Amino acid sequence: MAANNILIAYFSNTGHTQAVAEKLAAATEADLFRIEPAVPYTEADLDYNDDSARCMRELNDPASRPEITGTVPDWGRYDTVFLGYPIWWSRTPPIMQTFVESYDWAGKTVVPFCTSGSSSLGSSASVLADAAPEATWLSGQRFAAAASESELASWVEGLGI
Ligand SMILES: Cc1cc2nc3c(=O)[nH]c(=O)nc-3n(C[C@H](O)[C@H](O)[C@H](O)COP(=O)(O)O)c2cc1C
């Protein structure tokens, strides 16, 4: 697989999705981009049992688009974009919508992946696919934070990209 046209863009707060993204990058020799919130999430922000916590307010507001710091350099050169995120109540964190709505996806193939406590990827990526219908979306996959590089490599091989 040609690596210089693959980007792995990921959002991660407690390092799980980051660990998978880094192993995926090693397996594919792709570039990595960390989706950085303009305002970082504190532990209290991520308290999913507290309806007044930031994560819950964002999930409960369909218009919520948390701001991102930084942009992907040379976006146009990527053909394939892996999009990684933690599952938040079976959904994508709304900052992923901010990310997807910030770029032109024409001609790109997108592969979602996630980490979670136990939930599968399910239909979490559909809100992202709806925001970028011009891309070709492959079905994604959930990984444990401890997924091995060889597990990721064989997943990528099976995608046929
Ligand atoms: C707001 C919030 C909601 C979550 N909802 C779920 C869930 O529905 N199912 C699940 O298995 N894990 C859930 N989790 C756990 C995270 O998906 C899991 O810890 C993930 O690996 C964190 O990734 P990160 O370290 O890259 O941020 C939730 C975590 C947070 C903060």
Side-chain angles (χ1 to χ4, degrees):
M1 183 192 305
N4 66 354
N5 62 348
I6 303 174
L7 177 71
I8 300 164
Y10 71 94
F11 173 61
S12 182
N13 290 299
T14 53
H16 300 167
T17 311
Q18 178 171 14
V20 172
E22 285 173 350
K23 280 177 266 184
L24 191 56
T28 57
E29 296 176 25
D31 291 345
L32 270 177
F33 178 80
R34 181 175 190 148
I35 299 170
E36 293 268 12
V39 180
Y41 290 79
T42 64
E43 203 177 322
D45 287 341
L46 297 168
D47 183 355
Y48 51 81
N49 289 314
D50 176 357
D51 273 348
S52 67
R54 177 180 171 193
C55 63
M56 299 310 293
R57 285 186 277 111
E58 291 178 357
L59 284 169
N60 289 329
D61 175 4
S64 164
R65 296 292 185 274
E67 199 184 324
I68 293 169
T69 286
T71 53
V72 175
D74 208 2
W75 173 253
R77 80 184 182 87
Y78 298 107
D79 299 328
T80 301
V81 181
F82 286 85
L83 274 186
Y85 53 86
I87 290 289
W88 280 12
W89 287 117
S90 302
R91 292 165 53 190
T92 56
I95 199 168
M96 296 304 294
Q97 286 169 270
T98 313
F99 183 79
V100 169
E101 290 170 5
S102 301
Y103 293 91
D104 176 3
W105 294 86
K108 312 259 192 241
T109 296
V110 189
V111 194
F113 68 96
C114 69
T115 66
S116 70
S118 61
S119 298
S120 65
L121 187 121
S123 58
S124 61
S126 63
V127 69
L128 306 180
D130 288 348
E134 66 274 34
T136 301
W137 288 77
L138 303 189
S139 57
Q141 178 79 43
R142 180 258 177 196
F143 293 96
S148 67
E149 192 179 318
S150 62
E151 181 183 352
L152 292 160
S154 54
W155 172 59
V156 172
E157 218 166 284
L159 294 173
I161 48 177

